[in-house]
Amino acid sequence: MAQSVGIKDVARAAGVSVGTVSNVINRPDTVADETRARVQSAIDRLGYVRSESARQLRAGRSRIMGLLVLDMGNPFFVDVARGAERAARDAGLGVMVCNSAQNAGEEAEYLSLFAEQRVRGVLLTPADATGRNIETFRRHGIPFVLVDRVAEGVTECSVSVDDVAGGALAVRHLVDAGHRSIAYVSGPPGLNQVRDRRTGALNALAEAGLGEGALRELPTERLDVAAGRDAGARLLGLADRPTAVFCANDLLALGLLQAMYAAGVVVPDDLAIVGYDDIEFAAAAAVPLTSVRQPAVTMGAMAAELLLEETEEREGQAAHEHRRVVLQPELVVRRSSLAAR
C-alpha cells in the first residue's frame, strides 16, 4: 500500500524546515522566491496534498456544514439540500448530507459523527420526537439550525413552513369542492409536521361548520409511496369510504393514487386527492396531483444563511440573534381534486 506523503517528507526533499514548507503553503509571500520554488518543486514531485481536516482542526474552523434530513428518498429534502448547498458553496463551504431515514437511532449516530468531525454547524430536520438527540448534541457547542421544524425555544434558529396554514389550505379546497367526508393519510404521530397539518385540516372543517368526525385519520408508520399504497388498501376496505383524501406528503398521495388506479377507483371522479410538498413528480403523475407547495429550496438556503451568520466572525458585525423564520405555503390545484360534485 502506498504511503501518504507528509509535510516532513516535503521538507526533507527540499532541504528546508517544516516551518518553511508550512509558510510556502499558507503564507507564500513570506518566503524567498528561490526557496519557494524549491519547496513547490518538491510538493509537485512527491504529490503532496495538504490535510485540510488537520488544518481545520488547528484553526478550530471547519469548512464543512452538516445537513441531516428525514428522508433523502423524498424529493422535497433533495430540494432542501440543493438550497443549502448553493448557499454554502457561495460562502466557500461544503455540505455533508446525511439521512436519518426517520429513525431516531440513526439520527443520534449522525449527530455524533458531526461532533467528531467538528463541522462548522448543522442543519437538522429532527426525527427524534423526544428531543433527547438535540439535547445531547447541544452539549458539543456546535451551532445548528432546525429545518422544516419550528424552534420551540430561543436557543437556536429555525426555518419552517406554516403547516397549520398548509393543512387548512388543502382541506378548505376540498370542502369548497363539496366534500363533507375527508380522510387524512398521516405519518408518524411524533412528527410535528404531521400533527400541524392535521390541526390545519380540523381548523378548515370547523370554519365550514363541520366537526372532527368529518375527518377520518389513516395513520402510517412512514412517509413514503409504500405507506401510501397501504393506506389506500385500508381506505378501500372502509364501508363508509370518504369522498376525498388529504395526504401528509406527496409520496403518500402518489402511493394512494397507485392503489386507487389498481382497484379501478377513478380519481378525481370517485375520490379526490390532495398531497403536500408539491414535488416534481406531483405534476407528472398519471393524474396530476393537487398539492400544497413548500418553498423547499428557499428553506434550505435560508437555513444555511442563518447558520453562516451565526458562525461567521466579522469585524463590526452585530451579535447574532436567533430567529424563527416561518414561510407560507401555497395551494397548487391540479386535476386530482377537480371533479364536479
Side-chain angles (χ1 to χ4, degrees), residues 200-256:
L202 292 174
N203 289 349
L205 291 175
E207 290 172 6
L210 301 172
E212 291 190 12
L215 190 70
R216 184 79 168 268
E217 185 166 0
L218 296 173
T220 63
E221 293 184 358
R222 300 186 61 79
L223 292 163
D224 55 24
V225 172
R229 287 195 295 265
D230 175 71
R234 284 182 280 150
L235 183 74
L236 291 168
L238 296 178
D240 53 342
R241 186 191 307 166
T243 61
V245 182
F246 167 43
C247 296
N249 77 358
D250 284 342
L251 296 183
L252 290 172
L254 292 172
L256 178 72

Side-chain angles (χ1 to χ4, degrees), residues 267-288:
V267 175
D269 295 346
D270 300 330
L271 184 76
I273 301 176
V274 176
Y276 204 102
D277 290 340
D278 195 34
I279 62 176
E280 184 178 356
F281 299 130
V287 179

Side-chain angles (χ1 to χ4, degrees), residues 161-175 182-184 192-207 215 245-249 274-277 291-294 327-331:
V161 166
D162 188 341
D163 283 318
V164 174
L169 282 174
V171 172
R172 191 178 297 123
H173 167 68
L174 293 171
V175 169
I182 300 169
Y184 175 45
N192 285 20
Q193 299 93 323
V194 169
R195 295 197 302 267
D196 287 349
R197 292 165 197 178
R198 180 179 183 275
T199 297
L202 292 174
N203 289 349
L205 291 175
E207 290 172 6
L215 190 70
V245 182
F246 167 43
C247 296
N249 77 358
V274 176
Y276 204 102
D277 290 340
S291 185
V292 178
R293 175 179 295 166
Q294 297 199 82
L327 305 173
Q328 291 303 308
E330 173 189 359
L331 182 70

Side-chain angles (χ1 to χ4, degrees), residues 14 16 20 24 28 31-42:
V16 298
T20 298
V24 169
V31 182
D33 292 345
E34 181 182 347
T35 303
R36 186 169 65 245
R38 191 164 72 250
V39 171
Q40 189 60 54
S41 175

Side-chain angles (χ1 to χ4, degrees), residues 7 13 40 44 47 52 86 103 126 222 255 274 288 297 301 316 318 321 330:
I7 194 170
Q40 189 60 54
D44 295 340
E52 183 65 16
R86 185 181 304 164
N103 183 285
R222 300 186 61 79
V274 176
V297 174
E321 293 184 5
E330 173 189 359

